Amino acid sequence: MTTTRRPIYVLNGPNLNLLGTRRPEVYGTTTLADVEEAVRARAAAGGWEVEFRQTNHEGVLVDQIHEARTAGAAIVINPAAYTHTSIAIHDALEAAELPVVEVHLSNVHRREPFRHTSYVSLQADAVIAGAGALGYELAVEHLLRTLES
Ligand code: DQA
């Protein structure tokens, strides 16, 4: 199915390229390529396209949010460790003025205290934590309903 809709941006922060091999007891054995495939399939079933990105660099993540601001319909973001530190990512999401869903594979609230703070949640319409890789699909599902309502 072809579409003229803007894509949903799915943005991933540092170390998520290691998904599947990095601390599988915490983050699971699903790879980021598996996540991308599942997210694309779910979005495509609803007639939406996905821009799927991963970077280990804060400024690149900011640039990608800026790109989504002009070219995207919504943002799913797992900023990984930058969740807990980055005012720049908070500010970029604020400027984007798009629906935002924040995703974490792990339940950050059951982990170290430094993971309990999120600058991103202030700009998120929904937050999904602890559902593993399924969280990304749930985020897309939520956005599809939001975008189509
Ligand atoms: C994470 C949680 C963060 O605290 C951590 O730094 C990550 C991954 C998650 O998906 O559970 O890298 O965002």
Side-chain angles (χ1 to χ4, degrees), residues 2-71:
T2 55
T3 174
T4 54
R5 289 164 166 170
R6 294 175 170 200
I8 296 169
Y9 275 68
V10 181
L11 305 178
N12 295 280
N15 301 305
L16 290 171
N17 52 312
L18 302 179
L19 203 60
T21 56
R22 167 197 180 207
R23 301 203 62 195
E25 74 282 9
V26 175
Y27 298 117
T29 52
T30 305
T31 67
L32 200 60
D34 295 333
V35 171
E36 178 174 359
E37 193 181 332
V39 158
R40 281 192 191 285
R42 179 63 198 91
W48 291 82
E49 290 180 356
V50 165
E51 280 292 332
F52 196 94
R53 309 276 177 83
Q54 189 276 328
T55 177
N56 293 322
H57 306 278
E58 183 177 10
V60 174
L61 201 44
V62 169
D63 288 342
Q64 291 173 352
I65 295 167
H66 291 179
E67 182 185 318
R69 177 175 181 262
T70 54

Side-chain angles (χ1 to χ4, degrees), residues 2-149:
T2 55
T3 174
T4 54
R5 289 164 166 170
R6 294 175 170 200
I8 296 169
Y9 275 68
V10 181
L11 305 178
N12 295 280
N15 301 305
L16 290 171
N17 52 312
L18 302 179
L19 203 60
T21 56
R22 167 197 180 207
R23 301 203 62 195
E25 74 282 9
V26 175
Y27 298 117
T29 52
T30 305
T31 67
L32 200 60
D34 295 333
V35 171
E36 178 174 359
E37 193 181 332
V39 158
R40 281 192 191 285
R42 179 63 198 91
W48 291 82
E49 290 180 356
V50 165
E51 280 292 332
F52 196 94
R53 309 276 177 83
Q54 189 276 328
T55 177
N56 293 322
H57 306 278
E58 183 177 10
V60 174
L61 201 44
V62 169
D63 288 342
Q64 291 173 352
I65 295 167
H66 291 179
E67 182 185 318
R69 177 175 181 262
T70 54
I75 297 172
V76 175
I77 185 165
N78 182 350
Y82 292 138
T83 305
H84 318 298
T85 61
S86 179
I87 297 169
I89 290 171
H90 166 282
D91 287 356
L93 290 170
E94 183 178 52
E97 296 183 357
L98 290 173
V100 173
V101 182
E102 175 184 353
V103 172
H104 300 286
L105 296 140
S106 64
N107 179 359
V108 285
H109 301 289
R110 206 162 67 177
R111 300 182 63 195
E112 304 95 322
F114 65 82
R115 296 186 205 274
H116 299 177
T117 298
S118 169
Y119 287 100
V120 171
S121 294
L122 288 167
Q123 296 302 329
D125 299 293
V127 181
I128 300 169
L134 178 65
Y136 286 85
E137 290 179 70
L138 298 174
V140 168
E141 179 73 34
H142 172 73
L143 284 173
L144 296 197
R145 292 188 191 203
T146 303
L147 292 167
E148 286 165 8
S149 67

